[in-house]
Amino acid sequence: MAAFGKLYRLSATMLLSGLAAGELTAEELMESTLARIEAVNPRVNAVVSLRPASELLAEARGKDAERGGGPLHGLPIAIKDLAQTKGLRTTWGSPLLADFIPDQDDPFVARLRAAGAIVIGKTNTPEFGLGSHSYNPVHGRTVNAWNPDVSAGGSSGGAAVALATGMLALADGSDMMGSLRNPAAWNNVYGFRPSYGLVPDNPTGEMFLHQLATNGPMARSVRDLALLLDMMAGPDSRLPHSLPAQSAFSGQLEAEVRGRRIGWIGDWGGHYPMEEGVLSLCSEALATFSDLDVEVVTVQPDFDPSAIWQSWTTLRSWAVAAKLGAVYENPERRAYLKPEAIWEIERGLALSGQDIQKASEIRSDWYRKLAALFQYYDALALPAAQLFPFPSEWDWPREVAGHQMESYHHWMEVVVPASLAGIPALSLPAGFGTQGLPMGFQLFGPRGGDAALLQLGQGYARAHGEIALAP
């Protein structure tokens, strides 16, 4: 193990290489992981429901005794607390589910276990994943990896912080409204929202109508991101929108990107309020692509961004009401819901069928517009957030750059163009603002163009350089 130095600083790719070669044992890696969590987690509160150390070390020794394990054999991982983990508490950040222990894994979790990963615990999230600020009454508040006084983002805030501080080498997340992108940007790591249907969800309940949220990978490098996506992705015949099998993403990263074009939307002609420094930092980061002979062109899509927001908020409230409506209808259970959840549910329950139809028509129009834009651009770019991390004691920012925010998620509007269309979006670290806080930008491309987007990300990662761990 001496040749590996401080294990928490190493990439998942390097750790897995050492495990496969017998130069590192799963028990050694588990000991290092638990030591890092013990040292760091009390400050940031990112890893929750951690299994007993004796149990985890025994499982690691069992991995060492096995022969011919899967691609993630012996690697510790913690699962976002919105995904079911068999035998391990899954709370969704809600007191209503504070003691819930599932009897089965979500599909992608089962795939990670089958690949040899050791599930050590969960990563923190806001209640039911609502809002990009990871706090809840069950596990408390997760704070930013770089400054404990500000937000970690969300809803994959625990995952991003665990990565940024070296407690995990890989982490899963989910993204409805930027939940893989905003926390990645605010903690200086990578987050990838795949094309809808690439990573299968649970084949239970209604499966046709709600196409807004998806699971995806987070990591400290694009190579590790692609490695985890290889494990999470793949068709599921039980799901109607499941995408067909594709070649391994990790094997496609090194393609030539010279000559590709990126359309930089910026603040969409002033529509998106931006805190000072966000646009300039993202523009400077995008300039990195010039070293790769990738052209970055300013573009203003010929589409009303207010219509995108209208469509999104309608479909999102409808989806939240469908998911949590039964809880709301029970007054005793409703009392345990946070105000933002109640607001979403009541808004969703008040919608008519024609409201949903109109929102879907706008979504269809936007998808058609994107298809036309992707005839000229290989990817489009926006900041991954509209402001730098805000004080952790806030519930959500009431204004951005002097503009009042109408709802608990209005300040996240910039992530909606990709989410509404169900297309892949990659959050890349842009660097740090003058106040020392991280920011990122997002690239998004056509549905099914996940590999091409990751190729652009890998080119950027090589030119940008290795990202540092939070202190």
Side-chain angles (χ1 to χ4, degrees):
M1 187 177 74
F4 286 89
K6 293 182 177 179
L7 296 181
Y8 67 85
R9 295 186 176 275
L10 301 183
S11 69
T13 301
M14 291 183 65
L15 292 172
L16 289 166
S17 176
L19 288 166
E23 300 167 349
L24 172 68
T25 69
E27 184 177 10
E28 289 170 334
L29 179 54
M30 185 62 71
E31 288 174 344
S32 173
T33 298
L34 293 174
R36 184 64 177 170
I37 290 172
E38 183 179 8
V40 175
N41 201 53
R43 174 172 60 89
V44 294
N45 191 37
V47 177
V48 298
S49 298
L50 185 67
R51 294 169 56 196
S54 58
E55 213 176 90
L56 291 170
L57 289 167
E59 186 170 346
R61 287 191 290 272
K63 294 291 185 184
D64 287 329
E66 294 176 13
R67 299 286 183 181
L72 301 182
H73 189 78
L75 188 77
I77 193 166
I79 304 298
K80 183 176 176 180
D81 203 25
L82 297 183
Q84 292 191 104
T85 43
K86 183 177 180 179
L88 180 60
R89 187 165 68 140
T90 301
T91 74
W92 285 271
S94 170
L96 294 168
L97 296 158
D99 300 314
F100 176 62
I101 299 178
D103 59 7
Q104 63 179 5
D105 286 326
D106 275 359
F108 83 86
V109 178
R111 290 179 176 185
L112 298 185
R113 288 197 206 263
I118 301 175
V119 176
I120 64 171
K122 309 303 284 284
T123 55
N124 205 23
T125 179
E127 181 183 327
F128 290 113
L130 297 176
S132 192
H133 187 24
S134 296
Y135 70 99
N136 64 70
V138 180
H139 296 298
R141 191 177 305 266
T142 298
V143 296
N144 194 279
W146 295 89
N147 184 337
D149 294 329
V150 298
S151 172
S155 60
S156 308
V161 172
L163 287 167
T165 55
M167 290 189 283
L168 297 175
L170 291 177
D172 72 284
S174 57
D175 189 309
M176 187 183 203
M177 192 176 172
S179 293
L180 280 157
R181 291 165 281 163
N182 174 269
W186 280 5
N187 290 282
N188 198 47
V189 298
Y190 294 88
F192 185 61
R193 176 194 167 103
S195 294
Y196 182 80
L198 185 62
V199 176
D201 201 353
N202 266 328
T204 57
E206 197 287 316
M207 300 190 299
F208 283 86
L209 295 177
H210 302 290
Q211 301 179 47
L212 302 183
T214 180
N215 296 300
M218 304 182 82
R220 294 195 298 268
S221 72
V222 176
R223 183 164 299 284
D224 282 356
L225 202 70
L227 170 68
L228 184 54
L229 184 61
D230 286 344
M231 304 299 109
M232 298 177 74
D236 188 322
S237 61
R238 299 169 295 177
L239 293 166
H241 301 297
S242 179
L243 292 180
Q246 302 185 28
S247 300
F249 295 98
S250 56
Q252 303 180 64
L253 286 181
E254 302 301 335
E256 179 61 69
V257 296
R258 181 183 292 116
R260 299 191 194 183
R261 302 180 79 220
I262 296 172
W264 168 232
I265 300 174
D267 63 1
W268 205 321
H271 175 80
Y272 298 129
M274 294 282 175
E275 184 177 349
E276 185 177 356
V278 170
L279 285 175
S280 58
L281 188 60
C282 292
S283 294
E284 291 167 10
L286 277 164
T288 302
F289 282 103
S290 63
D291 298 334
L292 308 173
D293 291 327
V294 173
E295 185 181 11
V296 179
V297 181
T298 299
V299 59
Q300 297 296 307
D302 182 21
F303 200 91
D304 180 7
S306 297
I308 294 174
W309 179 245
Q310 176 189 342
S311 173
W312 174 260
T313 53
T314 297
L315 295 173
R316 176 183 167 94
S317 292
W318 181 47
V320 172
K323 180 179 180 180
L324 298 178
V327 176
Y328 175 86
E329 289 170 1
N330 182 323
E332 292 183 3
R333 293 168 66 82
R334 184 192 309 167
Y336 289 98
L337 293 173
K338 67 179 182 179
E340 292 82 2
I342 292 174
W343 177 84
E344 283 271 30
I345 295 165
E346 291 179 343
R347 192 172 184 276
L349 293 174
L351 294 167
S352 69
Q354 285 305 307
D355 292 331
I356 304 303
Q357 175 70 20
K358 179 59 177 177
S360 191
E361 288 173 354
I362 294 171
R363 173 165 59 174
S364 300
D365 288 341
W366 173 232
Y367 191 91
R368 283 185 282 267
K369 175 57 67 175
L370 282 170
L373 286 167
F374 290 137
Q375 295 296 312
Y376 298 96
Y377 303 100
D378 297 280
L380 298 172
L382 282 166
Q386 291 171 234
L387 73 166
F388 291 95
F390 54 80
S392 62
E393 67 267 19
W394 292 6
D395 291 334
W396 47 276
R398 265 54 179 185
E399 67 173 52
V400 177
H403 293 256
Q404 295 298 311
M405 297 292 102
E406 299 171 356
S407 64
Y408 78 102
H409 54 13
H410 193 194
W411 60 275
M412 301 159 58
E413 185 178 359
V414 74
V415 301
V416 168
S419 292
L420 184 64
I423 57 177
L426 173 63
S427 180
L428 304 105
F432 293 76
T434 55
Q435 65 276 72
L437 297 175
M439 179 50 62
F441 67 96
Q442 51 179 326
L443 296 179
F444 50 101
R447 177 170 163 81
D450 302 73
L453 207 57
L454 290 169
Q455 289 162 4
L456 281 170
Q458 175 68 354
Y460 174 83
R462 286 198 308 268
H464 181 71
E466 184 177 348
I467 61 174
L469 282 176

